Amino acid sequence: MDFTRRGLFGAASVAAAGLAVAIPEAQAIPKKGAKHEPLQNFKFDIENSEGWFGEGGSAKQATVEELPVSESIAGVSMRLKPGGLRELHWHAIAAEWAYVIEGNVRATVIAPNGQAESADFGPGDVWFFPKGHGHALQCLGPGDSHFILVFDDGHFSEFGTFSITDWITKTDPAVAAKVMGLSAEAIARIPKGEMYIGQGKVPPRVPENLRNGDPSTNQFPHKFRLGAMPPQHAYAGGQIRIVSQKEFPIQNTVTGALQDLHPGAIREMHWHPNADEWQYYIKGRARVTIFGAHGRVATEEFGAGHVAFIKQGFGHHVEQIGSEPTQFLAMFNSPVYEEISLSQWLAANPPSMIADNLGLSVSEVEKLPKRSQGIIG
Ligand SMILES: [Fe+2]
Ligand SMILES: [Fe+2]
């Protein structure tokens, strides 16, 4: 009896809460003449933005300030001159992922268990520093380095992180002197305010030992050689290299995909069930079209230095344009890579259902692709 009463009570609660349940249901049904918010802008020209310039390098950012749709992912295009030092710092609200486009960088990072790692990164290499882990970067030369930093929070600002000079020089000098074991005169020489990017000496080719003399490397390496890896997916129209947590265990919040499109290729219509997609165009040009349901589509053209943002679940495709091959980096805010393509979906249904749905003849349905096509040549 008690069971029944509880059952009835449960049913009544659902009925009472019926309004909350019914509204999303009603919205799922297409309504003639219904007004929907227009799609948000999904393009930002990061390389032509103002950014920060200093003696040792520069940085330009794409956060929700610059591209409001990009709530989940922020990016920074950073350049360092030989010896240029992105000073010791940490990020309180975001993990940092990076892809090196040009030049060579030495990075150090410390984990809460005290393990530290120093590693050198060249073109095609990726690093991942978990949220809050202290790190620093220095350009090894020859020539400048250029890398794309990606953060797993669109509200992150590279210009508002926790830097060592800022912290020490805002601390009572007597406290800083006692903690660091230095004279007041030495503390007074530490650069005032936040250095951010400074100019140092080019580090020696052979890495020095860490100050603590501990040569042990971190048990979870922070480095992954994405560019040097054979692509997991090679198609007539190009190739895709994916680094998810499966390939790079420490990288537990994001996935990266380096995509190369030959001239005339199309990255086929698809969507990502589990993640937003943030793109940075490294070279070449492309036209990106997004589908945001309720008849809403938008197309923008992208070239080197442009950022795109595609919301989770939005349909999209990329058309390569121009005679130069196109390369872009796609970042996802999930450590697991998921994709469903139009071709794959159509192949996963009975022919008569597809014929009825699309108004095609059975012989036309026969011609549809039977598996995902990735990049069509
Ligand atoms: Fe950082
Ligand atoms: Fe995609």
Short mmCIF file of all heavy atoms in Angstrom, two decimals, residues 91-129:
data_model
loop_
_atom_site.label_atom_id
_atom_site.label_comp_id
_atom_site.label_asym_id
_atom_site.label_seq_id
_atom_site.Cartn_x
_atom_site.Cartn_y
_atom_site.Cartn_z
N HIS A 91 47.64 29.64 -14.44
CA HIS A 91 46.29 30.06 -14.80
C HIS A 91 45.32 29.44 -13.81
O HIS A 91 45.26 28.22 -13.68
CB HIS A 91 45.94 29.62 -16.22
CG HIS A 91 46.98 30.05 -17.21
ND1 HIS A 91 47.15 31.36 -17.57
CD2 HIS A 91 47.91 29.35 -17.90
CE1 HIS A 91 48.15 31.46 -18.44
NE2 HIS A 91 48.63 30.26 -18.65
N ALA A 92 44.57 30.30 -13.12
CA ALA A 92 43.70 29.80 -12.06
C ALA A 92 42.46 29.09 -12.58
O ALA A 92 41.94 28.19 -11.94
CB ALA A 92 43.29 30.95 -11.15
N ILE A 93 41.97 29.52 -13.77
CA ILE A 93 40.69 28.95 -14.19
C ILE A 93 40.76 28.07 -15.44
O ILE A 93 39.75 27.56 -15.89
CB ILE A 93 39.60 30.05 -14.40
CG1 ILE A 93 39.95 30.95 -15.59
CG2 ILE A 93 39.38 30.85 -13.13
CD1 ILE A 93 38.74 31.70 -16.15
N ALA A 94 41.94 27.89 -16.00
CA ALA A 94 41.98 27.14 -17.26
C ALA A 94 43.26 26.33 -17.40
O ALA A 94 44.32 26.71 -16.89
CB ALA A 94 41.85 28.10 -18.44
N ALA A 95 43.14 25.21 -18.11
CA ALA A 95 44.31 24.45 -18.53
C ALA A 95 44.82 25.07 -19.83
O ALA A 95 44.07 25.71 -20.55
CB ALA A 95 43.94 22.99 -18.75
N GLU A 96 46.10 24.87 -20.09
CA GLU A 96 46.70 25.47 -21.29
C GLU A 96 47.17 24.38 -22.25
O GLU A 96 47.92 23.48 -21.85
CB GLU A 96 47.89 26.35 -20.88
CG GLU A 96 48.71 26.89 -22.06
CD GLU A 96 49.80 27.85 -21.61
OE1 GLU A 96 49.55 28.66 -20.69
OE2 GLU A 96 50.90 27.81 -22.19
N TRP A 97 46.74 24.46 -23.49
CA TRP A 97 47.15 23.54 -24.57
C TRP A 97 47.84 24.41 -25.61
O TRP A 97 47.46 25.58 -25.79
CB TRP A 97 45.90 22.89 -25.16
CG TRP A 97 46.11 21.82 -26.18
CD1 TRP A 97 46.12 20.47 -25.96
CD2 TRP A 97 46.29 21.99 -27.60
NE1 TRP A 97 46.29 19.79 -27.15
CE2 TRP A 97 46.40 20.70 -28.17
CE3 TRP A 97 46.38 23.10 -28.45
CZ2 TRP A 97 46.59 20.48 -29.54
CZ3 TRP A 97 46.57 22.89 -29.81
CH2 TRP A 97 46.68 21.59 -30.34
N ALA A 98 48.87 23.90 -26.27
CA ALA A 98 49.52 24.73 -27.29
C ALA A 98 49.99 23.91 -28.47
O ALA A 98 50.30 22.72 -28.33
CB ALA A 98 50.70 25.48 -26.69
N TYR A 99 50.04 24.57 -29.60
CA TYR A 99 50.56 23.97 -30.84
C TYR A 99 51.60 24.94 -31.40
O TYR A 99 51.31 26.12 -31.62
CB TYR A 99 49.43 23.76 -31.85
CG TYR A 99 49.91 23.20 -33.17
CD1 TYR A 99 50.20 21.84 -33.31
CD2 TYR A 99 50.10 24.05 -34.27
CE1 TYR A 99 50.65 21.33 -34.52
CE2 TYR A 99 50.56 23.54 -35.48
CZ TYR A 99 50.83 22.18 -35.60
OH TYR A 99 51.30 21.68 -36.79
N VAL A 100 52.82 24.44 -31.63
CA VAL A 100 53.90 25.30 -32.14
C VAL A 100 53.84 25.33 -33.67
O VAL A 100 53.89 24.29 -34.33
CB VAL A 100 55.28 24.81 -31.68
CG1 VAL A 100 56.38 25.72 -32.23
CG2 VAL A 100 55.35 24.74 -30.16
N ILE A 101 53.72 26.55 -34.21
CA ILE A 101 53.69 26.71 -35.67
C ILE A 101 55.11 26.93 -36.20
O ILE A 101 55.50 26.39 -37.22
CB ILE A 101 52.77 27.89 -36.07
CG1 ILE A 101 51.30 27.54 -35.71
CG2 ILE A 101 52.88 28.22 -37.55
CD1 ILE A 101 50.31 28.65 -35.98
N GLU A 102 55.89 27.74 -35.47
CA GLU A 102 57.21 28.13 -35.95
C GLU A 102 58.19 28.29 -34.80
O GLU A 102 57.80 28.74 -33.71
CB GLU A 102 57.04 29.50 -36.63
CG GLU A 102 58.06 29.81 -37.68
CD GLU A 102 57.70 31.09 -38.44
OE1 GLU A 102 56.94 31.94 -37.92
OE2 GLU A 102 58.18 31.23 -39.57
N GLY A 103 59.46 27.94 -35.03
CA GLY A 103 60.50 28.21 -34.05
C GLY A 103 60.56 27.17 -32.93
O GLY A 103 59.88 26.14 -32.97
N ASN A 104 61.41 27.47 -31.94
CA ASN A 104 61.67 26.52 -30.86
C ASN A 104 61.51 27.17 -29.50
O ASN A 104 61.99 28.29 -29.28
CB ASN A 104 63.10 25.97 -31.01
CG ASN A 104 63.27 25.21 -32.31
OD1 ASN A 104 62.76 24.10 -32.46
ND2 ASN A 104 63.94 25.83 -33.27
N VAL A 105 60.86 26.45 -28.60
CA VAL A 105 60.54 26.97 -27.28
C VAL A 105 60.93 25.95 -26.22
O VAL A 105 60.71 24.75 -26.40
CB VAL A 105 59.01 27.23 -27.15
CG1 VAL A 105 58.67 27.79 -25.79
CG2 VAL A 105 58.52 28.16 -28.23
N ARG A 106 61.52 26.42 -25.12
CA ARG A 106 61.76 25.54 -23.96
C ARG A 106 60.72 25.88 -22.90
O ARG A 106 60.51 27.06 -22.59
CB ARG A 106 63.17 25.74 -23.42
CG ARG A 106 63.48 24.84 -22.21
CD ARG A 106 64.97 24.78 -21.96
NE ARG A 106 65.66 24.17 -23.09
CZ ARG A 106 66.97 24.32 -23.37
NH1 ARG A 106 67.71 25.07 -22.59
NH2 ARG A 106 67.50 23.74 -24.43
N ALA A 107 60.06 24.86 -22.37
CA ALA A 107 59.04 25.09 -21.35
C ALA A 107 59.39 24.33 -20.09
O ALA A 107 59.99 23.26 -20.14
CB ALA A 107 57.68 24.63 -21.87
N THR A 108 59.03 24.92 -18.94
CA THR A 108 59.14 24.19 -17.68
C THR A 108 57.76 24.19 -17.04
O THR A 108 56.98 25.12 -17.23
CB THR A 108 60.13 24.84 -16.70
OG1 THR A 108 59.65 26.13 -16.35
CG2 THR A 108 61.52 24.94 -17.27
N VAL A 109 57.47 23.12 -16.30
CA VAL A 109 56.17 23.05 -15.63
C VAL A 109 56.33 22.27 -14.34
O VAL A 109 57.13 21.32 -14.26
CB VAL A 109 55.11 22.41 -16.58
CG1 VAL A 109 55.51 21.03 -17.03
CG2 VAL A 109 53.73 22.39 -15.92
N ILE A 110 55.59 22.71 -13.31
CA ILE A 110 55.63 21.98 -12.03
C ILE A 110 54.22 21.49 -11.69
O ILE A 110 53.23 22.21 -11.91
CB ILE A 110 56.21 22.85 -10.89
CG1 ILE A 110 56.32 22.00 -9.60
CG2 ILE A 110 55.36 24.10 -10.62
CD1 ILE A 110 57.25 22.58 -8.57
N ALA A 111 54.15 20.25 -11.18
CA ALA A 111 52.88 19.66 -10.77
C ALA A 111 52.78 19.72 -9.25
O ALA A 111 53.79 19.84 -8.56
CB ALA A 111 52.82 18.21 -11.25
N PRO A 112 51.56 19.61 -8.70
CA PRO A 112 51.40 19.69 -7.23
C PRO A 112 52.15 18.59 -6.48
O PRO A 112 52.46 18.77 -5.31
CB PRO A 112 49.89 19.54 -7.02
CG PRO A 112 49.26 19.78 -8.34
CD PRO A 112 50.27 19.47 -9.39
N ASN A 113 52.48 17.49 -7.14
CA ASN A 113 53.23 16.44 -6.45
C ASN A 113 54.73 16.75 -6.43
O ASN A 113 55.54 15.92 -6.01
CB ASN A 113 52.97 15.06 -7.08
CG ASN A 113 53.45 14.98 -8.51
OD1 ASN A 113 54.06 15.92 -9.03
ND2 ASN A 113 53.19 13.86 -9.16
N GLY A 114 55.10 17.94 -6.94
CA GLY A 114 56.49 18.36 -6.89
C GLY A 114 57.30 17.93 -8.11
O GLY A 114 58.42 18.39 -8.30
N GLN A 115 56.75 17.02 -8.92
CA GLN A 115 57.48 16.63 -10.12
C GLN A 115 57.51 17.80 -11.09
O GLN A 115 56.53 18.53 -11.23
CB GLN A 115 56.79 15.43 -10.79
CG GLN A 115 57.04 14.14 -10.04
CD GLN A 115 56.47 12.95 -10.78
OE1 GLN A 115 55.62 13.09 -11.65
NE2 GLN A 115 56.95 11.78 -10.44
N ALA A 116 58.65 17.94 -11.74
CA ALA A 116 58.81 19.03 -12.69
C ALA A 116 59.31 18.47 -14.01
O ALA A 116 59.85 17.36 -14.07
CB ALA A 116 59.80 20.04 -12.16
N GLU A 117 59.10 19.22 -15.07
CA GLU A 117 59.59 18.79 -16.38
C GLU A 117 60.05 20.00 -17.16
O GLU A 117 59.42 21.05 -17.12
CB GLU A 117 58.48 18.06 -17.15
CG GLU A 117 59.00 17.42 -18.42
CD GLU A 117 57.94 16.66 -19.21
OE1 GLU A 117 56.74 16.75 -18.86
OE2 GLU A 117 58.32 16.00 -20.19
N SER A 118 61.16 19.83 -17.87
CA SER A 118 61.62 20.83 -18.81
C SER A 118 61.68 20.12 -20.15
O SER A 118 62.22 19.01 -20.25
CB SER A 118 63.01 21.33 -18.40
OG SER A 118 63.56 22.09 -19.46
N ALA A 119 61.09 20.70 -21.18
CA ALA A 119 61.10 20.06 -22.50
C ALA A 119 61.18 21.11 -23.58
O ALA A 119 60.75 22.25 -23.39
CB ALA A 119 59.85 19.20 -22.68
N ASP A 120 61.78 20.72 -24.72
CA ASP A 120 61.90 21.62 -25.86
C ASP A 120 60.84 21.27 -26.90
O ASP A 120 60.60 20.10 -27.18
CB ASP A 120 63.30 21.51 -26.48
CG ASP A 120 64.38 22.04 -25.53
OD1 ASP A 120 64.02 22.60 -24.48
OD2 ASP A 120 65.57 21.89 -25.86
N PHE A 121 60.24 22.31 -27.48
CA PHE A 121 59.15 22.13 -28.43
C PHE A 121 59.48 22.83 -29.75
O PHE A 121 59.93 23.97 -29.74
CB PHE A 121 57.86 22.73 -27.86
CG PHE A 121 57.38 22.07 -26.60
CD1 PHE A 121 57.95 22.41 -25.37
CD2 PHE A 121 56.40 21.10 -26.63
CE1 PHE A 121 57.51 21.80 -24.21
CE2 PHE A 121 55.96 20.48 -25.47
CZ PHE A 121 56.53 20.82 -24.25
N GLY A 122 59.26 22.13 -30.84
CA GLY A 122 59.47 22.69 -32.18
C GLY A 122 58.18 22.64 -32.97
O GLY A 122 57.14 22.22 -32.46
N PRO A 123 58.25 23.03 -34.27
CA PRO A 123 57.03 23.07 -35.09
C PRO A 123 56.31 21.71 -35.08
O PRO A 123 56.94 20.67 -35.20
CB PRO A 123 57.56 23.40 -36.48
CG PRO A 123 58.81 24.17 -36.22
CD PRO A 123 59.42 23.55 -34.99
N GLY A 124 54.99 21.74 -34.90
CA GLY A 124 54.18 20.52 -34.89
C GLY A 124 54.00 19.92 -33.51
O GLY A 124 53.22 19.00 -33.34
N ASP A 125 54.76 20.44 -32.52
CA ASP A 125 54.66 19.88 -31.16
C ASP A 125 53.53 20.54 -30.36
O ASP A 125 53.19 21.70 -30.57
CB ASP A 125 55.98 20.06 -30.40
CG ASP A 125 57.11 19.22 -30.99
OD1 ASP A 125 56.81 18.27 -31.75
OD2 ASP A 125 58.28 19.50 -30.68
N VAL A 126 53.01 19.76 -29.41
CA VAL A 126 51.89 20.18 -28.57
C VAL A 126 52.32 20.09 -27.11
O VAL A 126 53.06 19.18 -26.74
CB VAL A 126 50.70 19.22 -28.82
CG1 VAL A 126 49.67 19.28 -27.70
CG2 VAL A 126 50.04 19.50 -30.17
N TRP A 127 51.87 21.05 -26.28
CA TRP A 127 52.02 20.87 -24.83
C TRP A 127 50.67 21.00 -24.15
O TRP A 127 49.74 21.59 -24.70
CB TRP A 127 53.06 21.80 -24.20
CG TRP A 127 52.77 23.26 -24.13
CD1 TRP A 127 51.87 23.89 -23.34
CD2 TRP A 127 53.45 24.29 -24.88
NE1 TRP A 127 51.93 25.26 -23.53
CE2 TRP A 127 52.89 25.53 -24.47
CE3 TRP A 127 54.47 24.30 -25.82
CZ2 TRP A 127 53.32 26.76 -25.00
CZ3 TRP A 127 54.90 25.51 -26.34
CH2 TRP A 127 54.32 26.72 -25.92
N PHE A 128 50.59 20.44 -22.96
CA PHE A 128 49.38 20.58 -22.15
C PHE A 128 49.79 20.77 -20.70
O PHE A 128 50.50 19.94 -20.12
CB PHE A 128 48.48 19.34 -22.26
CG PHE A 128 47.20 19.48 -21.48
CD1 PHE A 128 46.12 20.17 -22.02
CD2 PHE A 128 47.07 18.95 -20.21
CE1 PHE A 128 44.93 20.33 -21.30
CE2 PHE A 128 45.89 19.11 -19.48
CZ PHE A 128 44.81 19.79 -20.03
N PHE A 129 49.36 21.89 -20.10
CA PHE A 129 49.62 22.17 -18.70
C PHE A 129 48.28 22.21 -17.97
O PHE A 129 47.45 23.08 -18.23
CB PHE A 129 50.33 23.53 -18.53
CG PHE A 129 51.64 23.65 -19.29
CD1 PHE A 129 52.04 24.88 -19.82
CD2 PHE A 129 52.46 22.54 -19.48
CE1 PHE A 129 53.24 25.00 -20.51
CE2 PHE A 129 53.67 22.66 -20.17
CZ PHE A 129 54.05 23.89 -20.69
#
